[in-house]
Amino acid sequence: MVGKNKRTRLKRFDRLSPRALTPSLIAPVVQTGWEPVPEEAKDVKIPVYLLDRAIVVKDKSLYQAVVTADNVLEDKLIGDWLVKTVGDKQCNVVELQGTVGASVANDRKKGFAEAISGHPNIKVLRSQSGNFIRSKGKEVMESFIKAENNGKNICMVYAHNDDMAIGAMQAIKEAGLKPGKDILTSSIDGVPDIYKAMLAGEANANVELTPNMAGPAFDALEKFK
């Protein structure tokens, strides 16, 4: 699915004229495989800016700037919250990762891992991609619950975004457990449904992802001009 989406974007880029792409903002789904896009743009002197996510290329001069949130910090905050909340108590965590190969998923995993390192009482039991999708988050959480004594071995579910967390809450409730109480829940983004979950006592920790990326991106474009 992800690969197909990337190929579609590459084809769309090829069809557009240089005039229409001066300059170009790209929001990459995954980190790798993007070299042909900025290389082609550079050949026809089109400046490329990356929005929301980064890419891995050998030649970083292929793009002008990357405008992203601090995804490592976001999930470090979740980890710091968990450390303070559980203290010395044993806490087994299950992790719902984002899209495999996406910079944001890699960074969020890294931030949480950094925060809980040095705290042996907190352990990530299981980690699997839910692809940032609510239904997939529910599906993966169902498998986690079944694998961990109907959820009794799980202290917290940590999701890389709110949609997967909301799906996980649905799975928890369907297993006869209470999200936010029997299993703690945490996630990133700050979508409207997560605030509803907070009011219902089903969401314990959330870090809002800044929606203000377009502004800094256009500021960067103005400086280029």
Side-chain angles (χ1 to χ4, degrees), residues 15-33:
R15 287 200 301 266
L16 293 172
S17 69
R19 184 175 298 174
L21 280 169
T22 307
S24 178
L25 285 171
I26 298 175
V29 176
V30 295
Q31 286 183 307
T32 58

Side-chain angles (χ1 to χ4, degrees), residues 55-73:
I55 61 174
V56 176
V57 291
K58 292 181 180 179
D59 182 5
K60 292 190 176 181
S61 71
L62 292 175
Y63 56 85
Q64 300 295 317
V66 184
V67 181
T68 68
D70 190 336
N71 293 300
V72 174
L73 174 61

Side-chain angles (χ1 to χ4, degrees), residues 34-99:
W34 284 94
E35 285 88 347
V37 173
E39 284 174 355
E40 182 178 339
K42 187 175 182 179
D43 287 343
V44 291
K45 302 188 185 310
I46 298 172
V48 170
Y49 294 80
L50 304 178
L51 185 63
D52 188 34
R53 302 181 186 187
I55 61 174
V56 176
V57 291
K58 292 181 180 179
D59 182 5
K60 292 190 176 181
S61 71
L62 292 175
Y63 56 85
Q64 300 295 317
V66 184
V67 181
T68 68
D70 190 336
N71 293 300
V72 174
L73 174 61
E74 289 169 352
D75 288 68
K76 186 177 183 301
L77 293 173
I78 292 289
D80 289 343
W81 172 85
L82 182 61
V83 168
K84 292 178 183 178
T85 299
V86 301
D88 295 329
K89 294 179 182 178
Q90 185 66 33
C91 183
N92 295 326
V93 179
V94 291
E95 178 183 22
L96 292 169
Q97 294 186 46
T99 304

Side-chain angles (χ1 to χ4, degrees), residues 41-168:
K42 187 175 182 179
D43 287 343
V44 291
K45 302 188 185 310
I46 298 172
V48 170
Y49 294 80
L50 304 178
L51 185 63
D52 188 34
R53 302 181 186 187
I55 61 174
V56 176
V57 291
K58 292 181 180 179
D59 182 5
K60 292 190 176 181
S61 71
L62 292 175
Y63 56 85
Q64 300 295 317
V66 184
V67 181
T68 68
D70 190 336
N71 293 300
V72 174
L73 174 61
E74 289 169 352
D75 288 68
K76 186 177 183 301
L77 293 173
I78 292 289
D80 289 343
W81 172 85
L82 182 61
V83 168
K84 292 178 183 178
T85 299
V86 301
D88 295 329
K89 294 179 182 178
Q90 185 66 33
C91 183
N92 295 326
V93 179
V94 291
E95 178 183 22
L96 292 169
Q97 294 186 46
T99 304
V100 174
S103 63
V104 62
N106 294 339
D107 288 347
R108 288 178 179 178
K109 184 176 182 66
K110 178 182 177 182
F112 185 78
E114 287 179 355
I116 66 171
S117 65
H119 299 277
N121 58 306
I122 301 175
K123 180 182 178 182
V124 177
L125 285 181
R126 297 179 183 273
S127 182
Q128 186 174 330
S129 173
N131 209 28
F132 288 129
I133 299 172
R134 188 174 301 195
S135 60
K136 188 66 176 177
K138 180 176 183 291
E139 177 186 323
V140 175
M141 188 63 191
E142 287 172 344
S143 70
F144 286 163
I145 290 171
K146 290 178 182 177
E148 296 298 336
N149 192 21
N150 196 40
K152 293 181 177 64
N153 296 341
I154 302 172
C155 166
M156 185 182 82
V157 55
Y158 149 58
H160 286 194
N161 80 340
D162 291 344
D163 275 327
M164 291 189 295
I166 293 165

